[in-house]
Amino acid sequence: MNRSPLSESVEMYLKALVELSDREMVAIGRLADRLGVTAVSANEMVKRLGEQGLVKHTPYKGVALTKKGRDAACNILRRQRLWECFLYDHLKIEWTQLYEYACSLEHATAPEVTEALAAFLGNPQTCPRGNPIPAADGSFAPLNGIPLGELDTGRAATILAVNATATEVIKHLYDRNLLPGHKVTVLEAAPLQGPLTLRVDGKDVALGLALAEYIIVSR
Amino acid sequence: MNRSPLSESVEMYLKALVELSDREMVAIGRLADRLGVTAVSANEMVKRLGEQGLVKHTPYKGVALTKKGRDAACNILRRQRLWECFLYDHLKIEWTQLYEYACSLEHATAPEVTEALAAFLGNPQTCPRGNPIPAADGSFAPLNGIPLGELDTGRAATILAVNATATEVIKHLYDRNLLPGHKVTVLEAAPLQGPLTLRVDGKDVALGLALAEYIIVSR
DNA sequence: AATTATCATAAGGTCAACCTTATTATCTTT
DNA sequence: AAAGATAATAAGGTTGACCTTATGATAATT
């Protein structure tokens, strides 16, 4: 029922929130980091989002999406991921650029176009980056996986999804074959937040913990 | 070589200019009207466009695109019209909504995506609204037609393109079968800028002169 | 030539989304 | 309990793209 057109900025905030919502409460600092804005700016925006009822901010605790906000965010994810499918499967756009290009298109997509696109694509359930595509009503089953950083040493797992958003980060992961469907084993976790040593496709790869957070693997 | 990303607003101005450029010089008033802004705002923007070398403004005479501006504008038209093809042929979007939806997408389309889309569509030459699609290098042959308002009374002609941009106007024309490929005859032109009486698909239709300007017919 | 319409420009205002700098609160950790 | 880290808020600035109101300048019409 909420047909007020959200601004591009607002959409980015909502998307970031839903993508960061492993834990319920998202610290404003993390949000600001992901969006590449200052904490002050993020604070201002969160205030505005709160006024629109999209978000609940508990000072010193964090931000959480409301029902309304989560619905809006799922819709945004749906549009974005449908575009990723189209760009990858039909336009043959490079995997590393999918997020960036789909993100731009997403903001410019009317509901009618979204649904027509979904039908054209045959209502896919998963985007090329491994993430589930929310249904038109906003419902979707989150991935049943854990960040690579939490995988036990020695355990092999399959990559389910790659959630990085910065194209340079995506490229970095792509170059190391850290892609959905590939198998990884954590050989070693260096102390003091040091890098992980991974075994991917028969090669050893060192990966910073921050990067490992972006990779969701099966349990 | 000009890879500075043009703002959405700038793109709208350039597009309006190229679409209005039957005559070389476009009056700022007409430009403002088409974009739905005040003449003062249009003036300000034209000044900025001039500073970027996209446009030449001769006071009290009008605005004209420079080479650089025209190239940029053709690129924009290309993107927009390719999207129209996709939306119509593949997503089965209603004809009356094509312009609006394609316009939004156009602003969000990277060059790489544009070219991939063109390839996917088989490099179409014409969009569903009848307009030619500029080539990747910006070249395109303008339609060899005249506005319906200039067609001699009694002469039959074929509609080549419909150039209206406001969805309500497009709907109005669509409801009267004023669509590319259809035949029209001007039965009568009322005096004092009065409406035209047309024969379209066996029916008589009254059409204001302003609307007739949007319809390009064969000579 | 005079009137009217259009066009240009000046001045000042709004709004969203950013920014910096600085101060104050709270939380966490030692 | 004190210190350091993180978070919130206040104050003020910038930018792009609009807006209104008002005043000149030119063009077109009578």
Side-chain angles (χ1 to χ4, degrees), chain A residues 103-126:
Chain A
C103 180
S104 308
L105 290 171
E106 169 262 292
H107 298 301
T109 308
E112 191 185 336
V113 174
T114 307
E115 297 320 312
L117 179 61
F120 170 80
L121 295 169
N123 294 298
Q125 299 302 302
T126 310

Side-chain angles (χ1 to χ4, degrees), chain A residues 7 9 13 37-38 40-41 44 48 60:
Chain A
S7 79
S9 247
Y13 275 84
V37 300
T38 64
V40 177
S41 298
E44 289 174 347
R48 270 174 256 149
Y60 300 103

Side-chain angles (χ1 to χ4, degrees), chain A residues 93-199:
Chain A
I93 297 288
E94 256 186 78
W95 192 85
T96 53
Q97 312 252 249
L98 288 179
Y99 186 90
E100 188 178 328
Y101 292 157
C103 180
S104 308
L105 290 171
E106 169 262 292
H107 298 301
T109 308
E112 191 185 336
V113 174
T114 307
E115 297 320 312
L117 179 61
F120 170 80
L121 295 169
N123 294 298
Q125 299 302 302
T126 310
C127 79
R129 290 166 59 249
N131 286 116
I133 298 178
D137 66 6
S139 65
F140 78 117
L143 278 181
N144 178 26
I146 54 173
L148 179 53
E150 293 171 18
L151 186 64
D152 295 338
T153 302
R155 279 282 288 285
T158 304
I159 298 180
L160 299 178
V162 176
N163 274 324
T165 56
T167 300
E168 37 163 348
V169 171
I170 296 174
K171 284 211 167 99
H172 185 89
L173 300 176
Y174 179 83
D175 288 343
R176 285 156 183 77
N177 274 326
L178 292 162
L179 300 171
H182 287 236
K183 276 221 150 48
V184 240
T185 310
V186 178
L187 298 182
E188 188 190 6
L192 292 173
Q193 318 284 13
L196 303 176
T197 306
L198 309 173
R199 190 85 188 161

Side-chain angles (χ1 to χ4, degrees), chain A residues 32-48:
Chain A
D33 278 355
R34 167 162 274 235
L35 292 168
V37 300
T38 64
V40 177
S41 298
N43 242 289
E44 289 174 347
M45 179 57 103
V46 164
K47 205 170 90 190
R48 270 174 256 149

Side-chain angles (χ1 to χ4, degrees), chain B residues 46 62 71 85 153 173 184 187:
Chain B
V46 164
D71 284 353
C85 289
T153 303
L173 300 176
V184 239
L187 298 182

